[in-house]
DNA sequence: AGGCCCTCCTGTAAGC
DNA sequence: TGCTTACAGGAGGGCC
């Protein structure tokens, strides 16, 4: 579920509670996630201090004095920081006990999430190697998007979902950014004009910033670390709004399925 | 290289 | 009411 704004919201929630803490113990209650969670984490992290909590794409990076652990929330993952004596919830798979009586718990019903040891050079880790620019960084420009979209035949929704093109965009924000830029999601990426690339780049940045400001999108189960939902779902223009009137022109919003996943657009506002 | 499909899971809601 | 089915926000890996 979580895309860049939800992961960033999670990072901002947990960072002040984790930074500077020592990890006393790691519990692998259900190590069968996307990849098996290595048992060696227990010894590697024992008594190590958390130095920083960063984000790259949809990965959260816990930098410790022994190296970095990468967390991915998959489609249904969430993090909670609770007192260590709090009863386990079903699907609390991986737990980090801290030196202040609290624990960080990774909760993930669908188990598409991941916990990966990335050592001392996490940015060189295979999983992060091919990832494209952060959309909110100055590396992500219209000129870049225009250049990498040349001769690409795949539709723009799938193109934006490709983490090698741009990091952290998922199905919700792809549809929303394309709506804001007036471009149909089904159009081939290679048919973007320079002007389109400028509008799309601006739209991606603004929709992600706005979503972060509103604490992300809560459609099903995304919650902040403190249990509060995000509010961006109230701002969605097209995602999940099939047959509802476009907020701009009133036309019914359309839904199409491509590659097994739905996208949404306004047939009048988007070309 | 690029494009497409499959897969890993469970929870929820819709449909019958 | 209860059973079955479809669908859900990710993304790496493999195949053509």
């Amino acid at each position: 579920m979580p895309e860049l704004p939800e992961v960033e919201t999670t990072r901002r929630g947990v960072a002040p509670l984790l930074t500077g803490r020592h990890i006393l113990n790691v519990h692998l209650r259900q190590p069968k996630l996307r990849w098996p969670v290595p048992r060696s984490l227990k010894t590697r992290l024992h008594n190590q201090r958390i130095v920083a909590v960063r984000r790259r794409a949809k990965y959260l990076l816990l930098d410790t004095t022994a190296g970095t652990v990468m967390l991915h929330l998959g489609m249904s993952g969430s993090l909670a920081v609770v007192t260590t004596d709090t009863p386990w919830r079903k699907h609390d798979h991986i737990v980090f006990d801290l030196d202040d009586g609290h624990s960080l718990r990774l909760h993930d019903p669908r188990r598409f999430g991941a916990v990966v040891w990335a050592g001392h050079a996490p940015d060189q880790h295979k999983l992060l190697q091919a990832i494209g620019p952060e959309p909110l960084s100055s590396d992500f420009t219209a000129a870049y998007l225009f250049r990498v979209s040349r001769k690409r035949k795949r539709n723009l929704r799938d193109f934006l979902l490709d983490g090698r093109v741009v990091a952290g965009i998922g199905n919700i924000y792809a549809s929303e950014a394309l709506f804001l830029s007036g471009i149909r999601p089904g159009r081939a990426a290679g048919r973007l004009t320079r002007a389109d690339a400028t509008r799309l780049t601006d739209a991606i940045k603004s929709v992600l910033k706005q979503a972060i400001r509103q604490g992300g999108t809560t459609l099903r189960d995304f919650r902040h670390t403190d249990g509060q939902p995000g509010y961006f779902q109230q701002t969605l223009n097209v995602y999940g709004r099939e047959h509802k009137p476009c907020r701009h022109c009133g036309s019914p919003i359309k839904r199409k399925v491509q590659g097994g996943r739905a996208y949404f657009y306004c047939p009048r506002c988007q070309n």
Side-chain angles (χ1 to χ4, degrees), chain A residues 131-164:
Chain A
I131 292 180
E134 283 293 322
L136 296 178
S137 78
S138 56
D139 296 342
F140 183 64
T141 62
Y144 164 81
L145 194 66
F146 182 75
R147 175 164 51 82
V148 299
S149 61
R150 292 310 82 195
K151 299 186 179 169
R152 298 293 296 270
K153 293 192 167 66
R154 63 190 342 201
N155 68 77
L156 278 159
R157 194 280 305 264
D158 287 346
F159 183 68
L160 293 180
L161 251 48
D162 184 342
R164 293 167 297 190

Side-chain angles (χ1 to χ4, degrees), chain A residues 7 63 127 138 184 195 236:
Chain A
V7 178
D63 292 332
L127 291 172
S138 56
R184 291 208 187 187
L236 295 175

Side-chain angles (χ1 to χ4, degrees), chain A residues 250-271:
Chain A
S251 301
I253 298 300
K254 290 207 170 198
R255 173 182 189 269
K256 283 205 171 160
V257 176
Q258 192 137 29
R261 313 181 69 187
Y263 64 70
F264 300 83
Y265 67 99
C266 170
R268 186 152 166 209
C269 295
Q270 293 172 262
N271 295 295

